[in-house]
mmCIF file with all atom_site columns, all heavy atoms in Angstrom:
data_model
loop_
_atom_site.group_PDB
_atom_site.id
_atom_site.type_symbol
_atom_site.label_atom_id
_atom_site.label_alt_id
_atom_site.label_comp_id
_atom_site.label_asym_id
_atom_site.label_entity_id
_atom_site.label_seq_id
_atom_site.pdbx_PDB_ins_code
_atom_site.Cartn_x
_atom_site.Cartn_y
_atom_site.Cartn_z
_atom_site.occupancy
_atom_site.B_iso_or_equiv
_atom_site.pdbx_formal_charge
_atom_site.auth_seq_id
_atom_site.auth_comp_id
_atom_site.auth_asym_id
_atom_site.auth_atom_id
_atom_site.pdbx_PDB_model_num
ATOM 1   N N   . PHE A 1 64 ? -1.294 9.096   47.011 1.00 98.00 ? 64 PHE A N   1
ATOM 2   C CA  . PHE A 1 64 ? -0.024 8.666   47.615 1.00 98.00 ? 64 PHE A CA  1
ATOM 3   C C   . PHE A 1 64 ? -0.186 8.385   49.102 1.00 98.00 ? 64 PHE A C   1
ATOM 4   O O   . PHE A 1 64 ? 0.359  7.400   49.614 1.00 98.00 ? 64 PHE A O   1
ATOM 5   C CB  . PHE A 1 64 ? 1.046  9.754   47.385 1.00 98.00 ? 64 PHE A CB  1
ATOM 6   C CG  . PHE A 1 64 ? 2.132  9.776   48.408 1.00 98.00 ? 64 PHE A CG  1
ATOM 7   C CD1 . PHE A 1 64 ? 3.055  8.727   48.459 1.00 98.00 ? 64 PHE A CD1 1
ATOM 8   C CD2 . PHE A 1 64 ? 2.219  10.802  49.326 1.00 98.00 ? 64 PHE A CD2 1
ATOM 9   C CE1 . PHE A 1 64 ? 4.060  8.721   49.419 1.00 98.00 ? 64 PHE A CE1 1
ATOM 10  C CE2 . PHE A 1 64 ? 3.220  10.814  50.282 1.00 98.00 ? 64 PHE A CE2 1
ATOM 11  C CZ  . PHE A 1 64 ? 4.145  9.775   50.338 1.00 98.00 ? 64 PHE A CZ  1
ATOM 12  N N   . LEU A 1 65 ? -0.920 9.230   49.785 1.00 98.00 ? 65 LEU A N   1
ATOM 13  C CA  . LEU A 1 65 ? -1.070 9.064   51.245 1.00 98.00 ? 65 LEU A CA  1
ATOM 14  C C   . LEU A 1 65 ? -1.677 7.697   51.593 1.00 98.00 ? 65 LEU A C   1
ATOM 15  O O   . LEU A 1 65 ? -1.345 7.118   52.638 1.00 98.00 ? 65 LEU A O   1
ATOM 16  C CB  . LEU A 1 65 ? -1.939 10.190  51.813 1.00 98.00 ? 65 LEU A CB  1
ATOM 17  C CG  . LEU A 1 65 ? -1.375 11.609  51.688 1.00 98.00 ? 65 LEU A CG  1
ATOM 18  C CD1 . LEU A 1 65 ? -2.358 12.631  52.244 1.00 98.00 ? 65 LEU A CD1 1
ATOM 19  C CD2 . LEU A 1 65 ? -0.030 11.725  52.373 1.00 98.00 ? 65 LEU A CD2 1
ATOM 20  N N   . ALA A 1 66 ? -2.526 7.181   50.714 1.00 98.00 ? 66 ALA A N   1
ATOM 21  C CA  . ALA A 1 66 ? -3.120 5.860   50.924 1.00 98.00 ? 66 ALA A CA  1
ATOM 22  C C   . ALA A 1 66 ? -2.226 4.752   50.338 1.00 98.00 ? 66 ALA A C   1
ATOM 23  O O   . ALA A 1 66 ? -2.030 3.703   50.968 1.00 98.00 ? 66 ALA A O   1
ATOM 24  C CB  . ALA A 1 66 ? -4.504 5.800   50.313 1.00 98.00 ? 66 ALA A CB  1
ATOM 25  N N   . TRP A 1 67 ? -1.675 4.997   49.167 1.00 98.00 ? 67 TRP A N   1
ATOM 26  C CA  . TRP A 1 67 ? -0.917 3.945   48.452 1.00 98.00 ? 67 TRP A CA  1
ATOM 27  C C   . TRP A 1 67 ? 0.378  3.573   49.202 1.00 98.00 ? 67 TRP A C   1
ATOM 28  O O   . TRP A 1 67 ? 0.762  2.394   49.181 1.00 98.00 ? 67 TRP A O   1
ATOM 29  C CB  . TRP A 1 67 ? -0.578 4.456   47.049 1.00 98.00 ? 67 TRP A CB  1
ATOM 30  C CG  . TRP A 1 67 ? 0.091  3.469   46.140 1.00 98.00 ? 67 TRP A CG  1
ATOM 31  C CD1 . TRP A 1 67 ? 1.312  3.619   45.543 1.00 98.00 ? 67 TRP A CD1 1
ATOM 32  C CD2 . TRP A 1 67 ? -0.445 2.230   45.632 1.00 98.00 ? 67 TRP A CD2 1
ATOM 33  N NE1 . TRP A 1 67 ? 1.580  2.529   44.732 1.00 98.00 ? 67 TRP A NE1 1
ATOM 34  C CE2 . TRP A 1 67 ? 0.537  1.679   44.772 1.00 98.00 ? 67 TRP A CE2 1
ATOM 35  C CE3 . TRP A 1 67 ? -1.626 1.536   45.832 1.00 98.00 ? 67 TRP A CE3 1
ATOM 36  C CZ2 . TRP A 1 67 ? 0.348  0.455   44.115 1.00 98.00 ? 67 TRP A CZ2 1
ATOM 37  C CZ3 . TRP A 1 67 ? -1.832 0.348   45.174 1.00 98.00 ? 67 TRP A CZ3 1
ATOM 38  C CH2 . TRP A 1 67 ? -0.851 -0.196  44.341 1.00 98.00 ? 67 TRP A CH2 1
ATOM 39  N N   . ARG A 1 68 ? 0.980  4.506   49.897 1.00 98.00 ? 68 ARG A N   1
ATOM 40  C CA  . ARG A 1 68 ? 2.195  4.209   50.615 1.00 98.00 ? 68 ARG A CA  1
ATOM 41  C C   . ARG A 1 68 ? 1.984  3.195   51.742 1.00 98.00 ? 68 ARG A C   1
ATOM 42  O O   . ARG A 1 68 ? 2.948  2.549   52.205 1.00 98.00 ? 68 ARG A O   1
ATOM 43  C CB  . ARG A 1 68 ? 2.782  5.486   51.187 1.00 98.00 ? 68 ARG A CB  1
ATOM 44  C CG  . ARG A 1 68 ? 1.911  6.170   52.241 1.00 98.00 ? 68 ARG A CG  1
ATOM 45  C CD  . ARG A 1 68 ? 2.509  7.476   52.761 1.00 98.00 ? 68 ARG A CD  1
ATOM 46  N NE  . ARG A 1 68 ? 1.601  8.134   53.707 1.00 98.00 ? 68 ARG A NE  1
ATOM 47  C CZ  . ARG A 1 68 ? 1.919  9.257   54.352 1.00 98.00 ? 68 ARG A CZ  1
ATOM 48  N NH1 . ARG A 1 68 ? 3.103  9.823   54.160 1.00 98.00 ? 68 ARG A NH1 1
ATOM 49  N NH2 . ARG A 1 68 ? 1.041  9.808   55.161 1.00 98.00 ? 68 ARG A NH2 1
ATOM 50  N N   . LEU A 1 69 ? 0.745  3.053   52.186 1.00 98.00 ? 69 LEU A N   1
ATOM 51  C CA  . LEU A 1 69 ? 0.408  2.099   53.265 1.00 98.00 ? 69 LEU A CA  1
ATOM 52  C C   . LEU A 1 69 ? 0.146  0.695   52.726 1.00 98.00 ? 69 LEU A C   1
ATOM 53  O O   . LEU A 1 69 ? 0.036  -0.240  53.541 1.00 98.00 ? 69 LEU A O   1
ATOM 54  C CB  . LEU A 1 69 ? -0.801 2.607   54.029 1.00 98.00 ? 69 LEU A CB  1
ATOM 55  C CG  . LEU A 1 69 ? -0.669 4.028   54.636 1.00 98.00 ? 69 LEU A CG  1
ATOM 56  C CD1 . LEU A 1 69 ? -1.951 4.403   55.365 1.00 98.00 ? 69 LEU A CD1 1
ATOM 57  C CD2 . LEU A 1 69 ? 0.538  4.115   55.562 1.00 98.00 ? 69 LEU A CD2 1
ATOM 58  N N   . VAL A 1 70 ? 0.012  0.557   51.437 1.00 98.00 ? 70 VAL A N   1
ATOM 59  C CA  . VAL A 1 70 ? -0.198 -0.756  50.846 1.00 98.00 ? 70 VAL A CA  1
ATOM 60  C C   . VAL A 1 70 ? 1.152  -1.491  50.799 1.00 98.00 ? 70 VAL A C   1
ATOM 61  O O   . VAL A 1 70 ? 2.148  -0.921  50.347 1.00 98.00 ? 70 VAL A O   1
ATOM 62  C CB  . VAL A 1 70 ? -0.781 -0.625  49.418 1.00 98.00 ? 70 VAL A CB  1
ATOM 63  C CG1 . VAL A 1 70 ? -0.904 -1.987  48.731 1.00 98.00 ? 70 VAL A CG1 1
ATOM 64  C CG2 . VAL A 1 70 ? -2.135 0.094   49.467 1.00 98.00 ? 70 VAL A CG2 1
ATOM 65  N N   . PRO A 1 71 ? 1.219  -2.738  51.295 1.00 98.00 ? 71 PRO A N   1
ATOM 66  C CA  . PRO A 1 71 ? 2.521  -3.449  51.261 1.00 98.00 ? 71 PRO A CA  1
ATOM 67  C C   . PRO A 1 71 ? 3.098  -3.513  49.842 1.00 98.00 ? 71 PRO A C   1
ATOM 68  O O   . PRO A 1 71 ? 2.353  -3.661  48.864 1.00 98.00 ? 71 PRO A O   1
ATOM 69  C CB  . PRO A 1 71 ? 2.122  -4.850  51.771 1.00 98.00 ? 71 PRO A CB  1
ATOM 70  C CG  . PRO A 1 71 ? 0.926  -4.616  52.626 1.00 98.00 ? 71 PRO A CG  1
ATOM 71  C CD  . PRO A 1 71 ? 0.168  -3.519  51.961 1.00 98.00 ? 71 PRO A CD  1
ATOM 72  N N   . ALA A 1 72 ? 4.394  -3.396  49.771 1.00 98.00 ? 72 ALA A N   1
ATOM 73  C CA  . ALA A 1 72 ? 5.059  -3.322  48.482 1.00 98.00 ? 72 ALA A CA  1
ATOM 74  C C   . ALA A 1 72 ? 4.753  -4.507  47.568 1.00 98.00 ? 72 ALA A C   1
ATOM 75  O O   . ALA A 1 72 ? 4.547  -4.318  46.356 1.00 98.00 ? 72 ALA A O   1
ATOM 76  C CB  . ALA A 1 72 ? 6.574  -3.170  48.684 1.00 98.00 ? 72 ALA A CB  1
ATOM 77  N N   . PRO A 1 73 ? 4.710  -5.768  48.050 1.00 98.00 ? 73 PRO A N   1
ATOM 78  C CA  . PRO A 1 73 ? 4.363  -6.856  47.153 1.00 98.00 ? 73 PRO A CA  1
ATOM 79  C C   . PRO A 1 73 ? 2.950  -6.718  46.552 1.00 98.00 ? 73 PRO A C   1
ATOM 80  O O   . PRO A 1 73 ? 2.717  -7.143  45.435 1.00 98.00 ? 73 PRO A O   1
ATOM 81  C CB  . PRO A 1 73 ? 4.483  -8.099  48.053 1.00 98.00 ? 73 PRO A CB  1
ATOM 82  C CG  . PRO A 1 73 ? 5.479  -7.712  49.069 1.00 98.00 ? 73 PRO A CG  1
ATOM 83  C CD  . PRO A 1 73 ? 5.189  -6.283  49.353 1.00 98.00 ? 73 PRO A CD  1
ATOM 84  N N   . GLN A 1 74 ? 2.026  -6.113  47.297 1.00 98.00 ? 74 GLN A N   1
ATOM 85  C CA  . GLN A 1 74 ? 0.697  -5.865  46.735 1.00 98.00 ? 74 GLN A CA  1
ATOM 86  C C   . GLN A 1 74 ? 0.747  -4.788  45.681 1.00 98.00 ? 74 GLN A C   1
ATOM 87  O O   . GLN A 1 74 ? 0.058  -4.843  44.665 1.00 98.00 ? 74 GLN A O   1
ATOM 88  C CB  . GLN A 1 74 ? -0.289 -5.495  47.868 1.00 98.00 ? 74 GLN A CB  1
ATOM 89  C CG  . GLN A 1 74 ? -0.583 -6.637  48.805 1.00 98.00 ? 74 GLN A CG  1
ATOM 90  C CD  . GLN A 1 74 ? -1.603 -6.243  49.851 1.00 98.00 ? 74 GLN A CD  1
ATOM 91  O OE1 . GLN A 1 74 ? -2.512 -5.417  49.612 1.00 98.00 ? 74 GLN A OE1 1
ATOM 92  N NE2 . GLN A 1 74 ? -1.479 -6.793  51.065 1.00 98.00 ? 74 GLN A NE2 1
ATOM 93  N N   . ARG A 1 75 ? 1.610  -3.791  45.905 1.00 98.00 ? 75 ARG A N   1
ATOM 94  C CA  . ARG A 1 75 ? 1.805  -2.763  44.878 1.00 98.00 ? 75 ARG A CA  1
ATOM 95  C C   . ARG A 1 75 ? 2.382  -3.406  43.615 1.00 98.00 ? 75 ARG A C   1
ATOM 96  O O   . ARG A 1 75 ? 2.021  -3.079  42.487 1.00 98.00 ? 75 ARG A O   1
ATOM 97  C CB  . ARG A 1 75 ? 2.710  -1.648  45.386 1.00 98.00 ? 75 ARG A CB  1
ATOM 98  C CG  . ARG A 1 75 ? 2.181  -0.951  46.642 1.00 98.00 ? 75 ARG A CG  1
ATOM 99  C CD  . ARG A 1 75 ? 2.917  0.323   46.962 1.00 98.00 ? 75 ARG A CD  1
ATOM 100 N NE  . ARG A 1 75 ? 4.303  0.181   47.302 1.00 98.00 ? 75 ARG A NE  1
ATOM 101 C CZ  . ARG A 1 75 ? 4.830  0.380   48.499 1.00 98.00 ? 75 ARG A CZ  1
ATOM 102 N NH1 . ARG A 1 75 ? 4.029  0.693   49.533 1.00 98.00 ? 75 ARG A NH1 1
ATOM 103 N NH2 . ARG A 1 75 ? 6.127  0.295   48.704 1.00 98.00 ? 75 ARG A NH2 1
ATOM 104 N N   . GLY A 1 76 ? 3.249  -4.377  43.824 1.00 98.00 ? 76 GLY A N   1
ATOM 105 C CA  . GLY A 1 76 ? 3.827  -5.100  42.702 1.00 98.00 ? 76 GLY A CA  1
ATOM 106 C C   . GLY A 1 76 ? 2.777  -5.890  41.949 1.00 98.00 ? 76 GLY A C   1
ATOM 107 O O   . GLY A 1 76 ? 2.872  -6.052  40.707 1.00 98.00 ? 76 GLY A O   1
ATOM 108 N N   . GLU A 1 77 ? 1.754  -6.359  42.612 1.00 98.00 ? 77 GLU A N   1
ATOM 109 C CA  . GLU A 1 77 ? 0.680  -7.086  41.949 1.00 98.00 ? 77 GLU A CA  1
ATOM 110 C C   . GLU A 1 77 ? -0.046 -6.204  40.932 1.00 98.00 ? 77 GLU A C   1
ATOM 111 O O   . GLU A 1 77 ? -0.418 -6.654  39.838 1.00 98.00 ? 77 GLU A O   1
ATOM 112 C CB  . GLU A 1 77 ? -0.277 -7.664  42.973 1.00 98.00 ? 77 GLU A CB  1
ATOM 113 C CG  . GLU A 1 77 ? -1.547 -8.286  42.407 1.00 98.00 ? 77 GLU A CG  1
ATOM 114 C CD  . GLU A 1 77 ? -1.300 -9.492  41.512 1.00 98.00 ? 77 GLU A CD  1
ATOM 115 O OE1 . GLU A 1 77 ? -0.130 -9.989  41.455 1.00 98.00 ? 77 GLU A OE1 1
ATOM 116 O OE2 . GLU A 1 77 ? -2.256 -9.989  40.892 1.00 98.00 ? 77 GLU A OE2 1
ATOM 117 N N   . LEU A 1 78 ? -0.270 -4.949  41.280 1.00 98.00 ? 78 LEU A N   1
ATOM 118 C CA  . LEU A 1 78 ? -0.883 -4.029  40.321 1.00 98.00 ? 78 LEU A CA  1
ATOM 119 C C   . LEU A 1 78 ? -0.020 -3.889  39.083 1.00 98.00 ? 78 LEU A C   1
ATOM 120 O O   . LEU A 1 78 ? -0.518 -3.907  37.944 1.00 98.00 ? 78 LEU A O   1
ATOM 121 C CB  . LEU A 1 78 ? -1.111 -2.660  40.975 1.00 98.00 ? 78 LEU A CB  1
ATOM 122 C CG  . LEU A 1 78 ? -1.595 -1.537  40.026 1.00 98.00 ? 78 LEU A CG  1
ATOM 123 C CD1 . LEU A 1 78 ? -2.905 -1.894  39.355 1.00 98.00 ? 78 LEU A CD1 1
ATOM 124 C CD2 . LEU A 1 78 ? -1.691 -0.215  40.772 1.00 98.00 ? 78 LEU A CD2 1
ATOM 125 N N   . VAL A 1 79 ? 1.282  -3.716  39.285 1.00 98.00 ? 79 VAL A N   1
ATOM 126 C CA  . VAL A 1 79 ? 2.188  -3.593  38.140 1.00 98.00 ? 79 VAL A CA  1
ATOM 127 C C   . VAL A 1 79 ? 2.218  -4.880  37.319 1.00 98.00 ? 79 VAL A C   1
ATOM 128 O O   . VAL A 1 79 ? 2.308  -4.868  36.093 1.00 98.00 ? 79 VAL A O   1
ATOM 129 C CB  . VAL A 1 79 ? 3.590  -3.165  38.607 1.00 98.00 ? 79 VAL A CB  1
ATOM 130 C CG1 . VAL A 1 79 ? 4.575  -3.149  37.457 1.00 98.00 ? 79 VAL A CG1 1
ATOM 131 C CG2 . VAL A 1 79 ? 3.531  -1.778  39.266 1.00 98.00 ? 79 VAL A CG2 1
ATOM 132 N N   . ARG A 1 80 ? 2.119  -6.030  37.988 1.00 98.00 ? 80 ARG A N   1
ATOM 133 C CA  . ARG A 1 80 ? 2.050  -7.298  37.254 1.00 98.00 ? 80 ARG A CA  1
ATOM 134 C C   . ARG A 1 80 ? 0.826  -7.345  36.348 1.00 98.00 ? 80 ARG A C   1
ATOM 135 O O   . ARG A 1 80 ? 0.926  -7.760  35.177 1.00 98.00 ? 80 ARG A O   1
ATOM 136 C CB  . ARG A 1 80 ? 2.026  -8.484  38.230 1.00 98.00 ? 80 ARG A CB  1
ATOM 137 C CG  . ARG A 1 80 ? 2.144  -9.837  37.534 1.00 98.00 ? 80 ARG A CG  1
ATOM 138 C CD  . ARG A 1 80 ? 1.875  -10.985 38.508 1.00 98.00 ? 80 ARG A CD  1
ATOM 139 N NE  . ARG A 1 80 ? 0.478  -11.049 38.890 1.00 98.00 ? 80 ARG A NE  1
ATOM 140 C CZ  . ARG A 1 80 ? -0.484 -11.598 38.151 1.00 98.00 ? 80 ARG A CZ  1
ATOM 141 N NH1 . ARG A 1 80 ? -0.201 -12.110 36.973 1.00 98.00 ? 80 ARG A NH1 1
ATOM 142 N NH2 . ARG A 1 80 ? -1.742 -11.619 38.591 1.00 98.00 ? 80 ARG A NH2 1
ATOM 143 N N   . LEU A 1 81 ? -0.325 -6.914  36.879 1.00 98.00 ? 81 LEU A N   1
ATOM 144 C CA  . LEU A 1 81 ? -1.540 -6.915  36.078 1.00 98.00 ? 81 LEU A CA  1
ATOM 145 C C   . LEU A 1 81 ? -1.420 -5.915  34.919 1.00 98.00 ? 81 LEU A C   1
ATOM 146 O O   . LEU A 1 81 ? -1.922 -6.185  33.810 1.00 98.00 ? 81 LEU A O   1
ATOM 147 C CB  . LEU A 1 81 ? -2.730 -6.534  36.964 1.00 98.00 ? 81 LEU A CB  1
ATOM 148 C CG  . LEU A 1 81 ? -3.095 -7.570  38.027 1.00 98.00 ? 81 LEU A CG  1
ATOM 149 C CD1 . LEU A 1 81 ? -4.152 -7.018  38.975 1.00 98.00 ? 81 LEU A CD1 1
ATOM 150 C CD2 . LEU A 1 81 ? -3.596 -8.871  37.377 1.00 98.00 ? 81 LEU A CD2 1
ATOM 151 N N   . PHE A 1 82 ? -0.752 -4.806  35.161 1.00 98.00 ? 82 PHE A N   1
ATOM 152 C CA  . PHE A 1 82 ? -0.537 -3.856  34.052 1.00 98.00 ? 82 PHE A CA  1
ATOM 153 C C   . PHE A 1 82 ? 0.326  -4.501  32.973 1.00 98.00 ? 82 PHE A C   1
ATOM 154 O O   . PHE A 1 82 ? 0.044  -4.349  31.768 1.00 98.00 ? 82 PHE A O   1
ATOM 155 C CB  . PHE A 1 82 ? 0.122  -2.589  34.603 1.00 98.00 ? 82 PHE A CB  1
ATOM 156 C CG  . PHE A 1 82 ? 0.427  -1.575  33.548 1.00 98.00 ? 82 PHE A CG  1
ATOM 157 C CD1 . PHE A 1 82 ? -0.543 -1.167  32.644 1.00 98.00 ? 82 PHE A CD1 1
ATOM 158 C CD2 . PHE A 1 82 ? 1.675  -0.993  33.462 1.00 98.00 ? 82 PHE A CD2 1
ATOM 159 C CE1 . PHE A 1 82 ? -0.255 -0.204  31.660 1.00 98.00 ? 82 PHE A CE1 1
ATOM 160 C CE2 . PHE A 1 82 ? 1.968  -0.042  32.515 1.00 98.00 ? 82 PHE A CE2 1
ATOM 161 C CZ  . PHE A 1 82 ? 1.018  0.355   31.602 1.00 98.00 ? 82 PHE A CZ  1
ATOM 162 N N   . GLY A 1 83 ? 1.332  -5.262  33.358 1.00 98.00 ? 83 GLY A N   1
ATOM 163 C CA  . GLY A 1 83 ? 2.145  -5.950  32.381 1.00 98.00 ? 83 GLY A CA  1
ATOM 164 C C   . GLY A 1 83 ? 1.312  -6.936  31.562 1.00 98.00 ? 83 GLY A C   1
ATOM 165 O O   . GLY A 1 83 ? 1.516  -7.083  30.337 1.00 98.00 ? 83 GLY A O   1
ATOM 166 N N   . GLU A 1 84 ? 0.330  -7.603  32.205 1.00 98.00 ? 84 GLU A N   1
ATOM 167 C CA  . GLU A 1 84 ? -0.572 -8.499  31.449 1.00 98.00 ? 84 GLU A CA  1
ATOM 168 C C   . GLU A 1 84 ? -1.401 -7.720  30.450 1.00 98.00 ? 84 GLU A C   1
ATOM 169 O O   . GLU A 1 84 ? -1.624 -8.175  29.328 1.00 98.00 ? 84 GLU A O   1
ATOM 170 C CB  . GLU A 1 84 ? -1.460 -9.269  32.429 1.00 98.00 ? 84 GLU A CB  1
ATOM 171 C CG  . GLU A 1 84 ? -0.729 -10.341 33.206 1.00 98.00 ? 84 GLU A CG  1
ATOM 172 C CD  . GLU A 1 84 ? -1.705 -11.224 33.972 1.00 98.00 ? 84 GLU A CD  1
ATOM 173 O OE1 . GLU A 1 84 ? -2.912 -10.878 34.048 1.00 98.00 ? 84 GLU A OE1 1
ATOM 174 O OE2 . GLU A 1 84 ? -1.247 -12.273 34.501 1.00 98.00 ? 84 GLU A OE2 1
ATOM 175 N N   . GLU A 1 85 ? -1.878 -6.556  30.846 1.00 98.00 ? 85 GLU A N   1
ATOM 176 C CA  . GLU A 1 85 ? -2.669 -5.728  29.906 1.00 98.00 ? 85 GLU A CA  1
ATOM 177 C C   . GLU A 1 85 ? -1.801 -5.265  28.747 1.00 98.00 ? 85 GLU A C   1
ATOM 178 O O   . GLU A 1 85 ? -2.269 -5.200  27.599 1.00 98.00 ? 85 GLU A O   1
ATOM 179 C CB  . GLU A 1 85 ? -3.253 -4.525  30.642 1.00 98.00 ? 85 GLU A CB  1
ATOM 180 C CG  . GLU A 1 85 ? -4.312 -4.882  31.690 1.00 98.00 ? 85 GLU A CG  1
ATOM 181 C CD  . GLU A 1 85 ? -5.511 -5.607  31.108 1.00 98.00 ? 85 GLU A CD  1
ATOM 182 O OE1 . GLU A 1 85 ? -5.864 -5.372  29.926 1.00 98.00 ? 85 GLU A OE1 1
ATOM 183 O OE2 . GLU A 1 85 ? -6.115 -6.419  31.816 1.00 98.00 ? 85 GLU A OE2 1
ATOM 184 N N   . LEU A 1 86 ? -0.569 -4.962  29.004 1.00 98.00 ? 86 LEU A N   1
ATOM 185 C CA  . LEU A 1 86 ? 0.346  -4.566  27.925 1.00 98.00 ? 86 LEU A CA  1
ATOM 186 C C   . LEU A 1 86 ? 0.580  -5.735  26.972 1.00 98.00 ? 86 LEU A C   1
ATOM 187 O O   . LEU A 1 86 ? 0.653  -5.541  25.753 1.00 98.00 ? 86 LEU A O   1
ATOM 188 C CB  . LEU A 1 86 ? 1.670  -4.073  28.511 1.00 98.00 ? 86 LEU A CB  1
ATOM 189 C CG  . LEU A 1 86 ? 1.650  -2.719  29.190 1.00 98.00 ? 86 LEU A CG  1
ATOM 190 C CD1 . LEU A 1 86 ? 2.953  -2.481  29.923 1.00 98.00 ? 86 LEU A CD1 1
ATOM 191 C CD2 . LEU A 1 86 ? 1.392  -1.605  28.181 1.00 98.00 ? 86 LEU A CD2 1
ATOM 192 N N   . ARG A 1 87 ? 0.711  -6.932  27.520 1.00 98.00 ? 87 ARG A N   1
ATOM 193 C CA  . ARG A 1 87 ? 0.873  -8.096  26.640 1.00 98.00 ? 87 ARG A CA  1
ATOM 194 C C   . ARG A 1 87 ? -0.334 -8.278  25.741 1.00 98.00 ? 87 ARG A C   1
ATOM 195 O O   . ARG A 1 87 ? -0.187 -8.521  24.555 1.00 98.00 ? 87 ARG A O   1
ATOM 196 C CB  . ARG A 1 87 ? 1.110  -9.346  27.488 1.00 98.00 ? 87 ARG A CB  1
ATOM 197 C CG  . ARG A 1 87 ? 2.505  -9.471  28.089 1.00 98.00 ? 87 ARG A CG  1
ATOM 198 C CD  . ARG A 1 87 ? 2.670  -10.734 28.921 1.00 98.00 ? 87 ARG A CD  1
ATOM 199 N NE  . ARG A 1 87 ? 4.075  -10.953 29.277 1.00 98.00 ? 87 ARG A NE  1
ATOM 200 C CZ  . ARG A 1 87 ? 4.683  -10.411 30.306 1.00 98.00 ? 87 ARG A CZ  1
ATOM 201 N NH1 . ARG A 1 87 ? 4.000  -9.620  31.124 1.00 98.00 ? 87 ARG A NH1 1
ATOM 202 N NH2 . ARG A 1 87 ? 5.945  -10.672 30.550 1.00 98.00 ? 87 ARG A NH2 1
ATOM 203 N N   . ALA A 1 88 ? -1.510 -8.147  26.340 1.00 98.00 ? 88 ALA A N   1
ATOM 204 C CA  . ALA A 1 88 ? -2.720 -8.310  25.544 1.00 98.00 ? 88 ALA A CA  1
ATOM 205 C C   . ALA A 1 88 ? -2.878 -7.206  24.515 1.00 98.00 ? 88 ALA A C   1
ATOM 206 O O   . ALA A 1 88 ? -3.392 -7.439  23.394 1.00 98.00 ? 88 ALA A O   1
ATOM 207 C CB  . ALA A 1 88 ? -3.963 -8.333  26.469 1.00 98.00 ? 88 ALA A CB  1
#
Side-chain angles (χ1 to χ4, degrees):
F64 154 70
L65 296 178
W67 185 241
R68 65 182 176 176
L69 303 179
V70 175
Q74 292 183 32
R75 301 193 295 249
E77 172 63 8
L78 172 59
V79 174
R80 187 190 70 81
L81 293 171
F82 179 50
E84 287 189 351
E85 294 299 330
L86 288 170
R87 285 179 169 86

